[in-house]
Amino acid sequence: MLFGAIEAGGTKFVCGIGNENGEILERVSFPTTTPEETMGQVINFFKDKQMDAMGVGTFGPVDPNESSPTYGYITSTPKIKWRNFDIIGELKKHFNIPFGFDTDVNAAALGETEWGAAKGLDSCVYMTVGTGIGGGAVIRGEMVHGMLHPEMGHILVKRHPEDDFAGNCPYHQDCLEGMAAGPAIEKRWGKKGIELQEVDKVWEIEAYYLAQAAVNLIYTLSPKKIVLGGGVMHQKQLFPIIRENVKELLNGYVQTNEILSDIDQYIVPPGLGDNAGLCGAVALAKKACGI
C-alpha cells in the first residue's frame, strides 16, 4: 500500500509518499506561505500520485475531534493567514481517499512508536524544539487527546537563576516555548543557536528548561520513552546536560532503571531523524485505513 503524507510546519511543508513499513519513497518540501499558495503546491505534488490514504500532521492548534464541526481545521494559530483554515476539507476537494489528521507532534510520536526510537513500546512522548515547542503523546498505543490536544510547549517552568530574559511567547511570555524555543535563544543571546555552539552557558540554560519539561512529563504521563527532536536538538551536547538535570530534579523520587541506570536510552533523539514527522503522517494514513 502507498500513503500520502504531509508534515505541515510553521516554516515549511514536507510532502511525501510512504509505504506500510514507514519507508519514505518520495519527498519534497517548500516554504509555508499563504494557504492558497502552499496548498496549491501540495495538491500539485499529489495530484498524479497513487495513494490508498493520506495522513496530515500539522502545526496547531488544531481540532482533531472527528465529531466536531471544525474537525480538520487549523484553529487559533499565531499564523494569522492560517487561522481557522480547513486543511482536511481543502484536501478532500481533490482526493477521494481516507484521511488521518492530528498535530505534527502527535503524528511524530506515533511514527516513533511504529518505526523509531520507541518501536515495540506502547507509550512515548515526542517533543520538538525548534521555531516553537510542541509535544505529542502515545499512551497504550493511542495518541492522547482530551478537551483539545496536548500543548506541552506552553507549560510553566521555573526560571534559571542566571537568566534574566523576559520570555518570547506572545501568550504567556515566559512559558517553556517562550524561554527555550529557537527564537527565544536568538532573542536572548543576539545570535542564532547554530552560531553559539561553543558557548556553554547557552546550552546550560537551555537544558535547564527542557529538563523541567521532561520531569513534568515523567510525573504526569510516565512515558516509556521521551524523544526530543527539532532543529534546536541538533545541538547534540544538550542531551547529556538534560539527562543530568532530569536526575537532579527528580532527586531520587523515581526509582526505575530507565532513570537510574539507562537514562541515555530513555531521553533520546528521534530514531527516524528528520523524517519523524513525515513518517508519523504515514502512520496516521495507515491508521485511517484500519491497519
Side-chain angles (χ1 to χ4, degrees):
M1 299 182 78
L2 293 175
F3 302 106
I6 301 174
E7 180 188 4
T11 303
K12 66 179 179 180
F13 268 54
V14 183
C15 299
I17 299 293
N19 63 22
E20 65 271 22
N21 301 315
E23 296 165 331
I24 303 301
L25 308 176
E26 187 177 352
R27 63 175 283 156
V28 67
S29 68
F30 29 80
T32 304
T33 57
T34 64
E36 295 76 19
E37 182 178 3
T38 306
M39 293 306 294
Q41 291 176 289
V42 169
I43 290 156
N44 188 58
F45 172 75
F46 286 114
K47 66 181 181 182
D48 298 322
K49 302 290 191 295
Q50 178 188 344
M51 298 179 290
D52 295 288
M54 182 181 288
V56 180
T58 178
F59 66 91
V62 305
D63 185 349
N65 180 358
E66 293 187 33
S67 63
S68 167
T70 55
Y71 168 73
Y73 279 57
I74 298 169
T75 59
S76 56
T77 173
K79 295 181 74 66
I80 302 298
K81 292 178 180 177
W82 289 85
R83 191 167 289 178
N84 298 317
F85 179 70
D86 183 6
I87 187 168
I88 293 298
E90 181 62 28
L91 290 165
K92 282 184 174 179
K93 293 176 186 176
H94 302 271
F95 307 104
N96 184 26
I97 53 177
F99 282 87
F101 175 72
D102 216 303
T103 61
D104 49 358
V105 281
N106 253 0
L110 184 64
E112 288 292 324
T113 59
E114 285 267 348
W115 304 297
K119 184 178 179 180
L121 303 177
D122 65 356
S123 79
C124 85
V125 166
Y126 178 94
M127 180 171 281
T128 185
V129 187
T131 305
I133 297 180
V138 170
I139 303 295
R140 294 182 179 174
E142 295 294 330
M143 292 171 292
V144 171
H145 299 120
M147 179 177 63
L148 293 170
H149 51 78
E151 282 288 356
M152 300 174 193
H154 294 273
I155 61 174
L156 304 181
V157 289
K158 290 194 300 184
R159 182 174 294 276
H160 188 282
E162 296 178 39
D163 188 13
D164 59 4
F165 178 59
N168 196 50
C169 175
Y171 291 94
H172 316 113
Q173 196 158 324
D174 60 355
C175 65
L176 177 64
E177 180 172 293
M179 300 304 283
I185 296 172
E186 183 175 358
K187 194 169 181 180
R188 180 190 285 111
W189 300 100
K191 295 181 178 178
K192 292 183 182 294
I194 197 167
E195 302 174 75
L196 297 162
Q197 293 181 66
E198 307 303 322
V199 185
D200 291 346
K201 183 59 69 177
V202 173
W203 309 112
E204 176 191 320
I205 289 174
E206 180 72 8
Y208 181 80
Y209 295 121
L210 296 178
Q212 288 183 63
V215 165
N216 285 327
L217 293 169
I218 290 166
Y219 282 145
T220 54
L221 295 177
S222 197
K224 293 178 180 175
K225 189 84 72 173
I226 295 177
V227 182
L228 300 178
V232 171
M233 296 311 303
H234 289 163
Q235 302 290 334
K236 299 299 184 187
Q237 71 271 29
L238 273 170
F239 280 95
I241 315 173
I242 291 168
R243 293 168 185 141
E244 191 58 37
N245 272 285
V246 166
K247 291 177 80 169
E248 288 179 13
L249 289 167
L250 290 172
N251 198 29
Y253 188 74
V254 177
Q255 294 283 317
T256 66
N257 288 335
E258 288 89 345
I259 301 301
L260 298 177
S261 59
D262 298 329
I263 197 166
D264 288 1
Q265 302 303 314
Y266 179 67
I267 300 174
V268 297
L272 298 170
D274 289 336
N275 271 339
L278 198 61
C279 289
V282 171
L284 288 174
K286 268 186 67 178
K287 205 171 181 67
C289 288
I291 59 174

